[in-house]
Amino acid sequence: MYSYQGASRRPPDRAGYFELETQIANPVNTPLFMDSIWPDLWAQAADPFPRNLSTGTLKQGGIGRCMIARHGGGATIESAAINLACIDGHVESTRLDRLVARFKWHKNYVPPKPVKR
């Protein structure tokens, strides 16, 4: 989906890239395009949410690049949403609070463990 070649001045960590379409084990939950403030991101489960959902955050390429209140009629993590398209071709509106746990952001992405209440 994203060529590691020229992506960074640092040596690439090729282990997380989907280099072939056949490496995508879960295309229905693998985002391809979405509402965001930057053309790419490299989400990690421990990424902090941005403080301002109107602007998101560019910090370290994390999930904050798409954590913006674009849709849903609210300005909270639980009410705001973005639209995204997944590898399988479907498009959906997804609440911001579901982005971290639901989607497979890259080959080595491990979602956070659910909080027991």
Side-chain angles (χ1 to χ4, degrees):
M1 303 303 109
Y2 186 79
S3 172
Y4 63 87
Q5 296 175 339
S8 174
R9 295 177 192 256
R10 295 178 291 158
D13 173 17
R14 291 180 61 179
Y17 287 91
F18 295 116
E19 294 179 10
L20 301 171
E21 206 171 320
T22 55
Q23 292 177 322
I24 304 169
N26 194 348
V28 72
N29 287 324
T30 303
L32 180 60
F33 298 106
M34 72 216 69
D35 292 324
S36 67
I37 61 170
W38 193 257
D40 68 351
L41 61 95
W42 196 262
Q44 301 297 330
D47 284 345
F49 292 168
R51 293 178 188 204
N52 185 333
L53 296 180
S54 295
T55 61
T57 182
L58 290 175
K59 189 174 184 176
Q60 300 173 346
I63 196 86
R65 290 182 175 184
C66 68
M67 283 272 185
I68 52 176
R70 294 272 300 166
H71 307 285
T76 67
I77 295 287
E78 296 82 14
S79 63
I82 62 167
N83 292 332
L84 59 85
C86 288
I87 298 295
D88 73 336
H90 87 276
V91 177
E92 66 180 76
S93 183
T94 301
R95 284 189 356 212
L96 301 183
D97 64 343
R98 296 182 178 161
L99 289 174
V100 175
R102 176 156 175 239
F103 294 98
K104 181 78 172 174
W105 290 97
H106 49 83
K107 195 164 54 171
N108 293 336
Y109 185 78
V110 177
K113 299 205 183 314
V115 176
K116 294 181 182 179
R117 296 180 190 235

